[in-house]
Tab-separated table of all heavy atoms in Angstrom:
chain	number	residue	atom	x	y	z
A	1	ARG	N	0.834	-1.207	0.000
A	1	ARG	CA	0.000	0.000	0.000
A	1	ARG	C	0.867	1.256	0.000
A	1	ARG	O	0.587	2.220	-0.722
A	1	ARG	CB	-0.925	-0.003	1.218
A	1	ARG	CG	-2.028	-1.057	1.162
A	1	ARG	CD	-3.059	-0.874	2.263
A	1	ARG	NE	-4.072	-1.894	2.195
A	1	ARG	CZ	-4.205	-2.910	3.032
A	1	ARG	NH1	-3.355	-3.032	4.054
A	1	ARG	NH2	-5.163	-3.801	2.885
A	2	LEU	N	1.896	1.251	0.818
A	2	LEU	CA	2.771	2.422	0.890
A	2	LEU	C	3.549	2.609	-0.406
A	2	LEU	O	3.793	3.738	-0.834
A	2	LEU	CB	3.735	2.279	2.069
A	2	LEU	CG	3.093	2.401	3.459
A	2	LEU	CD1	4.086	1.991	4.540
A	2	LEU	CD2	2.601	3.821	3.694
A	3	ALA	N	3.935	1.503	-1.042
A	3	ALA	CA	4.694	1.596	-2.284
A	3	ALA	C	3.830	2.071	-3.449
A	3	ALA	O	4.279	2.824	-4.315
A	3	ALA	CB	5.321	0.241	-2.621
A	4	SER	N	2.563	1.628	-3.473
A	4	SER	CA	1.671	1.974	-4.581
A	4	SER	C	0.889	3.254	-4.343
A	4	SER	O	0.407	3.893	-5.284
A	4	SER	CB	0.685	0.827	-4.835
A	4	SER	OG	-0.189	0.673	-3.718
A	5	GLY	N	0.735	3.640	-3.055
A	5	GLY	CA	-0.066	4.819	-2.736
A	5	GLY	C	-1.552	4.540	-2.766
A	5	GLY	O	-2.363	5.454	-2.669
A	6	ARG	N	-1.932	3.261	-2.895
A	6	ARG	CA	-3.340	2.884	-2.982
A	6	ARG	C	-3.761	2.032	-1.782
A	6	ARG	O	-2.979	1.231	-1.276
A	6	ARG	CB	-3.604	2.098	-4.269
A	6	ARG	CG	-3.373	2.920	-5.528
A	6	ARG	CD	-3.732	2.130	-6.789
A	6	ARG	NE	-2.797	1.010	-7.018
A	6	ARG	CZ	-3.115	-0.264	-6.869
A	6	ARG	NH1	-4.316	-0.619	-6.462
A	6	ARG	NH2	-2.217	-1.203	-7.112
A	7	GLN	N	-5.015	2.220	-1.375
A	7	GLN	CA	-5.549	1.394	-0.290
A	7	GLN	C	-5.814	-0.030	-0.762
A	7	GLN	O	-5.634	-0.983	-0.017
A	7	GLN	CB	-6.884	1.979	0.217
A	7	GLN	CG	-6.793	3.296	0.938
A	7	GLN	CD	-8.132	3.683	1.522
A	7	GLN	OE1	-8.903	2.835	1.950
A	7	GLN	NE2	-8.404	4.975	1.537
A	8	ASN	N	-6.259	-0.160	-2.008
A	8	ASN	CA	-6.755	-1.443	-2.501
A	8	ASN	C	-5.695	-2.103	-3.381
A	8	ASN	O	-5.395	-1.614	-4.479
A	8	ASN	CB	-8.042	-1.215	-3.290
A	8	ASN	CG	-8.966	-0.238	-2.572
A	8	ASN	OD1	-9.427	-0.519	-1.484
A	8	ASN	ND2	-9.213	0.909	-3.189
A	9	ILE	N	-5.145	-3.190	-2.916
A	9	ILE	CA	-4.017	-3.802	-3.619
A	9	ILE	C	-4.318	-5.198	-4.154
A	9	ILE	O	-3.461	-5.832	-4.737
A	9	ILE	CB	-2.789	-3.875	-2.682
A	9	ILE	CG1	-3.144	-4.608	-1.391
A	9	ILE	CG2	-2.232	-2.490	-2.417
A	9	ILE	CD1	-1.978	-4.845	-0.476
A	10	SER	N	-5.535	-5.670	-3.954
A	10	SER	CA	-5.925	-6.964	-4.494
A	10	SER	C	-7.380	-6.889	-4.940
A	10	SER	O	-8.137	-6.035	-4.464
A	10	SER	CB	-5.743	-8.072	-3.444
A	10	SER	OG	-6.625	-7.874	-2.354
A	11	PRO	N	-7.809	-7.772	-5.862
A	11	PRO	CA	-9.173	-7.703	-6.389
A	11	PRO	C	-10.257	-7.764	-5.319
A	11	PRO	O	-11.320	-7.181	-5.480
A	11	PRO	CB	-9.237	-8.922	-7.316
A	11	PRO	CG	-7.822	-9.146	-7.741
A	11	PRO	CD	-7.000	-8.800	-6.548
A	12	GLY	N	-10.004	-8.457	-4.228
A	12	GLY	CA	-11.019	-8.586	-3.197
A	12	GLY	C	-10.877	-7.605	-2.050
A	12	GLY	O	-11.530	-7.743	-1.018
A	13	ASP	N	-10.025	-6.620	-2.227
A	13	ASP	CA	-9.717	-5.675	-1.154
A	13	ASP	C	-10.664	-4.475	-1.197
A	13	ASP	O	-10.626	-3.679	-2.131
A	13	ASP	CB	-8.265	-5.201	-1.306
A	13	ASP	CG	-7.723	-4.630	-0.006
A	13	ASP	OD1	-8.436	-4.686	1.006
A	13	ASP	OD2	-6.584	-4.137	-0.022
A	14	ARG	N	-11.548	-4.370	-0.201
A	14	ARG	CA	-12.482	-3.243	-0.081
A	14	ARG	C	-13.265	-3.015	-1.371
A	14	ARG	O	-13.313	-1.911	-1.915
A	14	ARG	CB	-11.715	-1.964	0.283
A	14	ARG	CG	-10.960	-2.018	1.603
A	14	ARG	CD	-10.248	-0.692	1.837
A	14	ARG	NE	-9.589	-0.623	3.138
A	14	ARG	CZ	-8.323	-0.938	3.353
A	14	ARG	NH1	-7.584	-1.352	2.338
A	14	ARG	NH2	-7.791	-0.841	4.553
A	15	THR	N	-13.892	-4.069	-1.876
A	15	THR	CA	-14.559	-3.990	-3.176
A	15	THR	C	-15.695	-2.969	-3.197
A	15	THR	O	-15.920	-2.300	-4.214
A	15	THR	CB	-15.111	-5.366	-3.576
A	15	THR	OG1	-15.935	-5.870	-2.502
A	15	THR	CG2	-13.981	-6.343	-3.833
A	16	GLY	N	-16.423	-2.844	-2.098
A	16	GLY	CA	-17.510	-1.873	-2.046
A	16	GLY	C	-16.998	-0.450	-2.211
A	16	GLY	O	-17.541	0.340	-2.993
A	17	SER	N	-15.950	-0.121	-1.488
A	17	SER	CA	-15.363	1.219	-1.578
A	17	SER	C	-14.804	1.489	-2.968
A	17	SER	O	-14.913	2.600	-3.496
A	17	SER	CB	-14.248	1.379	-0.540
A	17	SER	OG	-14.765	1.306	0.772
A	18	VAL	N	-14.217	0.440	-3.562
A	18	VAL	CA	-13.645	0.593	-4.906
A	18	VAL	C	-14.744	0.906	-5.916
A	18	VAL	O	-14.600	1.792	-6.769
A	18	VAL	CB	-12.893	-0.682	-5.325
A	18	VAL	CG1	-12.475	-0.594	-6.793
A	18	VAL	CG2	-11.667	-0.886	-4.456
A	19	ALA	N	-15.867	0.194	-5.820
A	19	ALA	CA	-16.973	0.414	-6.758
A	19	ALA	C	-17.505	1.845	-6.646
A	19	ALA	O	-17.747	2.519	-7.650
A	19	ALA	CB	-18.090	-0.589	-6.482
A	20	VAL	N	-17.680	2.308	-5.406
A	20	VAL	CA	-18.167	3.673	-5.190
A	20	VAL	C	-17.162	4.689	-5.723
A	20	VAL	O	-17.522	5.668	-6.383
A	20	VAL	CB	-18.438	3.923	-3.692
A	20	VAL	CG1	-18.748	5.393	-3.440
A	20	VAL	CG2	-19.590	3.052	-3.205
A	21	ALA	N	-15.886	4.449	-5.447
A	21	ALA	CA	-14.843	5.390	-5.866
A	21	ALA	C	-14.767	5.499	-7.381
A	21	ALA	O	-14.625	6.605	-7.923
A	21	ALA	CB	-13.491	4.947	-5.303
A	22	TYR	N	-14.866	4.361	-8.096
A	22	TYR	CA	-14.786	4.414	-9.552
A	22	TYR	C	-15.996	5.120	-10.152
A	22	TYR	O	-15.892	5.803	-11.172
A	22	TYR	CB	-14.625	3.017	-10.148
A	22	TYR	CG	-13.187	2.585	-10.232
A	22	TYR	CD1	-12.705	1.530	-9.478
A	22	TYR	CD2	-12.291	3.254	-11.060
A	22	TYR	CE1	-11.373	1.156	-9.533
A	22	TYR	CE2	-10.956	2.889	-11.133
A	22	TYR	CZ	-10.502	1.827	-10.368
A	22	TYR	OH	-9.191	1.471	-10.429
A	23	GLY	N	-17.154	4.954	-9.513
A	23	GLY	CA	-18.331	5.690	-9.959
A	23	GLY	C	-18.132	7.187	-9.831
A	23	GLY	O	-18.489	7.965	-10.725
A	24	MET	N	-17.535	7.601	-8.717
A	24	MET	CA	-17.281	9.016	-8.491
A	24	MET	C	-16.158	9.524	-9.399
A	24	MET	O	-16.171	10.681	-9.820
A	24	MET	CB	-16.941	9.270	-7.022
A	24	MET	CG	-17.966	8.762	-6.073
A	24	MET	SD	-18.671	9.841	-4.843
A	24	MET	CE	-18.402	11.470	-5.156
A	25	LYS	N	-15.189	8.652	-9.708
A	25	LYS	CA	-14.117	9.059	-10.619
A	25	LYS	C	-14.674	9.357	-12.010
A	25	LYS	O	-14.245	10.301	-12.680
A	25	LYS	CB	-13.053	7.956	-10.725
A	25	LYS	CG	-12.039	7.944	-9.597
A	25	LYS	CD	-10.893	7.000	-9.878
A	25	LYS	CE	-9.886	7.626	-10.813
A	25	LYS	NZ	-8.666	6.816	-10.955
A	26	ALA	N	-15.657	8.539	-12.427
A	26	ALA	CA	-16.281	8.767	-13.734
A	26	ALA	C	-17.007	10.111	-13.751
A	26	ALA	O	-16.905	10.880	-14.708
A	26	ALA	CB	-17.258	7.638	-14.046
A	27	GLU	N	-17.722	10.402	-12.663
A	27	GLU	CA	-18.433	11.677	-12.590
A	27	GLU	C	-17.446	12.836	-12.495
A	27	GLU	O	-17.676	13.912	-13.052
A	27	GLU	CB	-19.377	11.675	-11.392
A	27	GLU	CG	-20.322	12.851	-11.369
A	27	GLU	CD	-21.634	12.560	-10.668
A	27	GLU	OE1	-21.869	11.405	-10.286
A	27	GLU	OE2	-22.409	13.497	-10.503
A	28	LEU	N	-16.353	12.623	-11.795
A	28	LEU	CA	-15.326	13.660	-11.670
A	28	LEU	C	-14.710	13.973	-13.027
A	28	LEU	O	-14.487	15.140	-13.368
A	28	LEU	CB	-14.239	13.190	-10.691
A	28	LEU	CG	-13.070	14.144	-10.441
A	28	LEU	CD1	-13.574	15.469	-9.891
A	28	LEU	CD2	-12.063	13.519	-9.465
A	29	ALA	N	-14.452	12.939	-13.822
A	29	ALA	CA	-13.901	13.145	-15.160
A	29	ALA	C	-14.877	13.953	-16.021
A	29	ALA	O	-14.474	14.832	-16.787
A	29	ALA	CB	-13.601	11.801	-15.821
A	30	SER	N	-16.172	13.639	-15.867
A	30	SER	CA	-17.195	14.371	-16.604
A	30	SER	C	-17.235	15.843	-16.191
A	30	SER	O	-17.379	16.737	-17.032
A	30	SER	CB	-18.564	13.722	-16.354
A	30	SER	OG	-19.595	14.428	-17.000
A	31	LEU	N	-17.069	16.099	-14.900
A	31	LEU	CA	-17.085	17.476	-14.404
A	31	LEU	C	-15.893	18.279	-14.930
A	31	LEU	O	-16.021	19.471	-15.231
A	31	LEU	CB	-17.066	17.480	-12.875
A	31	LEU	CG	-18.384	17.143	-12.180
A	31	LEU	CD1	-18.168	17.029	-10.683
A	31	LEU	CD2	-19.426	18.203	-12.483
A	32	LYS	N	-14.742	17.631	-15.025
A	32	LYS	CA	-13.557	18.325	-15.523
A	32	LYS	C	-13.774	18.828	-16.946
A	32	LYS	O	-13.445	19.966	-17.283
A	32	LYS	CB	-12.331	17.404	-15.468
A	32	LYS	CG	-11.815	17.152	-14.060
A	32	LYS	CD	-10.606	16.237	-14.076
A	32	LYS	CE	-10.064	16.018	-12.667
A	32	LYS	NZ	-8.897	15.104	-12.664
């Protein structure tokens, strides 16, 4: 995690948070 700067380092790691975050990233890209 410290090397990558990411909380989620495996496919099963905090999947709920990842799904929400990617949804918001898509909206953020649209806002930009």
Side-chain angles (χ1 to χ4, degrees):
R1 290 190 181 107
L2 290 170
S4 66
R6 296 184 292 109
Q7 292 187 34
N8 316 297
I9 55 174
S10 65
D13 200 5
R14 299 180 175 93
T15 53
S17 295
V18 172
V20 172
Y22 273 114
M24 305 233 16
K25 278 190 80 172
E27 190 152 354
L28 180 59
S30 177
L31 283 173
K32 288 180 178 179

